[in-house]
Amino acid sequence: MTGHIIQISYFIAAVLFIFGMKGMSSPLGAQKGIVWAGAGMLLATLVTFLDGNIIKNVDHRTVNYILMIIAIAIGGGLAWVSGKKVQMTDMPQMIALYNGMGGGAAAAIAATQLIGGHIQSTTAGTLAVLGALIGSVSFSGSLIAYAKLQGILKGVFSLPKHQWITYSVFAIAVLMGAAIAATSGMFSWIVVLFFVLALLFGVLMTLPIGGADMPVVISLFNALTGLAVAFEGFVLNNAAMIIAGTVVGAAGTLLTQLMAKAMNRSIAKLLSPAPPSVGGAQEVVGSMREIGAQDAAILMAYAQKVIIIPGYGMAVAQAQHKVWELTQLLEEKGIEVKFAIHPVAGRMPGHMNVLLAEAGVNYERIFDLDEINPEFPQADVVLVIGANDVVNPVARTDKSSPIYGMPILNADMAKNVVVIKRGQGSGFSGIENALFYKENTKMFYGGGQEAVNKLIAEVKQL
Amino acid sequence: MVEGYSALYIFMLAAFTGYEVISRVPVILHTPLMSGSNFIHGIVLVGAMVALGESTTVMQQLIGFFGVALAAMNAVGGYVVTERMLGMFTGKREVKK
């Protein structure tokens, strides 16, 4: 009887996951979607927990239950606290971290099945090993991605003959995996070495990838973890895991493709990065023109149409609330204000929308690249705050530039451009920005929040 | 319960479902959706609990323990951050009305 209850609960959970996911893919149903998926998860977890049969060996029942409760309390508690505390700007690396944990869990399931002698067939062994490999790679790779975005690991690391070493490690791991699958596992040095190599591969694979490409990689690991969960679902005969894992694997793959497209990067290229070529790109000639708060405020206050281009720098400076205040001030003066969001503004597609939503900017004012680009020639002032590479016209003109071909916001076509910038450095990609040297561009130096504060004060006086 | 070829069919249908369900997702939802799908594979918690439950040696219990803790982080963390992000989208719509 309990068997039926469990299966029915898993079925309901799977249905809720799919509906939840469907809901999350449109702005209207988004929050309902996560609540449904959450209900499904709660149901599946509770029913599993209350099912006495999951502790098969009576001798270990008490100990295993206690271990289970402690593990859930520790893991869940840590995640709850960190998830509630994390700044919206740090969201991408937090998602990477939680995702890596899932991959690690899938690998751990495979490990217990392999060394516990629960593997009954070569098929099950193969799937367990595949899930273990993918899960381990996702685990260690996501941790590296987290460390990079969090700023714990800086720069790009690579060993001499890095790719060669990486592929060798992968090949040996696959060979060992095949051996384990053929012999149905059991505890031996081969299993240990297999996991060590799989984890190492994840590290080696992720280390040479630059921070700008990391969102796509995180999304890829997300899809991989889904797949690993599905494979372990086959091993455990658990339909809920198979369905949820596969749905995430497929949706994650599509999402990875969409993100890569939005960022103008190919997944294959991104995973085998060529050594960074320094130089080659054309030098930008000319000088930058500075502007003070008062002049900048006058430009904006007497404009008819202002387009604001926020970037990650704005979010880091926590200036989004001030930008919203400035927007409201300008609108009171009858000025049309729009926000132009580049697909990769922020750290990953959609991140900037989250950050603006946090400040209370509603999304009628927010426009994406295709919608807003034709409007730039009519804009009197474009205010660029904390964005850099996404407004660099070099992407349209200079074939030798690393960002050539990336779709950009055509800020340079506006009548006036005001750039709020901390200093004279170049952007995330380290490329000089030709926009800053243009005649209609004025640089307004200062930290994001403080600069916007000054603008607000000046606009109020006008 | 899930045997051989029927598992293969489940896999195939679920893959199409996943692909179709998000095929028209707007860019503004990429980040929350990734976080949301990240939460959904937190179902691995159920498997980790079963794996720990089956454990009979200290080694297995140790690995199972880590598995459950990691899976719980995935599920709880994924839910909390997704809910926070999506909550901002809705909260604002109410203000607007």
Side-chain angles (χ1 to χ4, degrees):
Chain A
M1 188 58 211
T2 42
H4 284 295
I5 295 173
I6 299 230
Q7 293 306 335
I8 291 168
S9 308
Y10 284 177
F11 178 77
I12 296 171
V15 172
L16 285 171
F17 287 158
I18 293 171
F19 270 107
M21 196 101 144
K22 179 78 199 155
M24 277 187 271
S25 60
S26 86
L28 277 170
Q31 203 180 14
K32 235 184 268 163
I34 183 69
V35 172
W36 279 350
M41 188 74 73
L42 201 62
L43 176 70
T45 313
L46 270 181
V47 166
T48 309
F49 188 78
L50 295 176
D51 172 23
N53 291 329
I54 62 165
I55 315 284
K56 286 199 178 120
N57 194 319
V58 186
D59 296 340
H60 298 83
R61 183 163 279 169
T62 321
V63 178
N64 284 3
Y65 254 124
I66 292 172
L67 283 174
M68 206 178 288
I69 293 167
I70 297 175
I72 293 176
I74 293 177
L78 277 176
W80 180 272
V81 174
S82 59
K84 285 281 178 195
K85 263 193 355 204
V86 62
Q87 297 274 335
M88 284 298 151
T89 40
D90 297 337
M91 220 34 114
Q93 52 264 49
M94 219 55 203
I95 297 173
L97 191 64
Y98 296 143
N99 173 47
M101 301 295 128
I109 292 173
T112 61
Q113 298 301 302
L114 287 169
I115 68 173
H118 298 299
I119 303 293
Q120 307 291 342
S121 66
T122 318
T123 318
T126 310
L127 290 169
V129 166
L130 272 177
L133 181 67
I134 299 171
S136 304
V137 170
S138 171
F139 177 65
S140 59
S142 294
L143 287 182
I144 297 293
Y146 169 81
K148 282 201 166 197
L149 288 181
Q150 191 67 24
I152 300 168
L153 275 179
K154 290 199 176 81
V156 172
F157 293 83
S158 58
L159 302 164
K161 296 209 190 286
H162 190 97
Q163 299 247 350
W164 194 84
I165 297 174
T166 309
Y167 294 142
S168 308
V169 167
F170 181 68
I172 301 170
V174 168
L175 282 178
M176 291 188 147
I180 296 166
T183 56
S184 298
M186 299 312 272
F187 191 41
S188 70
W189 61 272
I190 283 206
V191 176
V192 177
L193 203 58
F194 164 73
F195 276 102
V196 171
L197 287 173
L199 290 169
L200 184 63
F201 173 67
V203 173
L204 288 172
M205 172 185 150
T206 320
L207 269 180
I209 301 173
D213 293 328
M214 222 31 106
V216 182
V217 177
I218 295 173
S219 181
L220 184 68
F221 284 145
N222 185 35
L224 287 180
T225 303
L227 209 56
V229 171
F231 285 156
E232 298 313 324
F234 282 112
V235 176
L236 294 175
N237 263 337
N238 185 316
M241 279 171 73
I242 300 178
I243 295 173
T246 310
V247 167
V248 173
T253 307
L254 176 61
L255 201 55
T256 308
Q257 286 171 349
L258 291 174
M259 277 198 189
K261 218 171 109 193
M263 302 179 75
N264 192 36
R265 287 179 160 89
S266 96
I267 296 165
K269 241 193 212 158
L270 192 147
L271 291 179
S272 53
S277 59
V278 186
Q282 284 167 24
E283 287 265 327
V284 181
V285 287
S287 60
M288 300 191 201
R289 287 158 202 77
E290 219 181 311
I291 191 171
Q294 197 181 3
D295 294 331
I298 290 171
L299 263 184
M300 288 168 57
Y302 292 101
Q304 282 183 328
K305 182 173 187 161
V306 174
I307 298 177
I308 299 178
I309 303 180
Y312 187 66
M314 177 200 74
V316 170
Q318 289 293 317
Q320 57 267 47
H321 299 274
K322 289 290 162 195
V323 170
W324 176 226
E325 199 182 326
L326 178 67
T327 307
Q328 287 170 309
L329 264 178
L330 292 173
E331 283 184 345
E332 276 166 31
K333 291 182 182 291
I335 300 161
E336 185 188 3
V337 184
K338 288 185 172 178
F339 284 85
I341 307 283
H342 191 273
V344 297
R347 276 285 174 79
M348 60 168 69
H351 191 196
M352 185 53 66
N353 302 78
V354 172
L355 295 167
L356 287 177
E358 188 192 15
V361 183
N362 50 25
Y363 38 74
E364 276 113 70
R365 288 185 183 75
I366 301 178
F367 298 87
D368 66 24
L369 190 112
D370 296 330
E371 295 170 308
I372 199 87
N373 257 347
E375 296 192 26
F376 278 107
Q378 289 101 51
D380 300 296
V381 181
V382 167
L383 180 68
V384 179
I385 167 161
N388 193 338
D389 294 330
V390 299
V391 290
N392 194 345
V394 157
R396 281 199 314 261
T397 55
D398 183 359
K399 280 197 176 156
S400 60
S401 171
I403 60 168
Y404 179 74
M406 179 173 94
I408 57 156
L409 291 164
N410 296 329
D412 55 321
M413 294 180 178
K415 288 167 200 149
N416 291 286
V417 182
V418 175
V419 179
I420 296 180
K421 210 164 169 308
R422 183 172 279 281
Q424 297 193 343
S426 44
F428 208 45
S429 62
I431 302 157
E432 278 286 351
N433 195 331
L435 175 72
F436 300 166
Y437 295 89
K438 283 192 60 122
E439 223 164 287
N440 53 353
T441 304
K442 311 280 185 298
M443 306 299 289
F444 180 21
Y445 293 112
Q449 219 185 117
E450 167 208 342
V452 181
N453 255 337
K454 280 186 198 161
L455 282 180
I456 291 172
E458 293 291 344
V459 171
K460 272 185 183 161
Q461 284 179 16
L462 291 168
Chain B
M1 156 73 192
V2 193
E3 293 301 328
Y5 286 101
S6 59
L8 202 60
Y9 281 106
I10 294 179
F11 185 76
M12 185 267 292
L13 292 171
F16 275 110
T17 309
Y19 203 88
E20 277 307 310
V21 153
I22 68 146
S23 56
R24 281 172 294 275
V25 56
V27 172
I28 62 161
L29 285 175
H30 278 186
T31 297
L33 188 66
M34 182 166 130
S35 177
S37 58
N38 177 30
F39 162 69
I40 286 173
H41 66 53
I43 189 69
V44 71
L45 175 58
V46 169
M49 286 162 71
V50 172
L52 174 57
E54 286 178 347
S55 302
T56 46
T57 65
V58 175
M59 189 62 183
Q60 290 169 34
Q61 282 172 328
L62 194 70
I63 299 172
F65 179 82
F66 272 110
V68 173
L70 292 176
M73 276 190 82
N74 181 177
V76 174
Y79 185 82
V80 170
V81 298
T82 311
E83 211 265 343
R84 270 184 67 194
M85 279 192 272
L86 292 174
M88 287 177 325
F89 282 117
T90 356
K92 183 191 38 39
R93 195 177 299 111
E94 284 162 8
V95 172
K96 204 177 61 196
K97 271 176 189 168

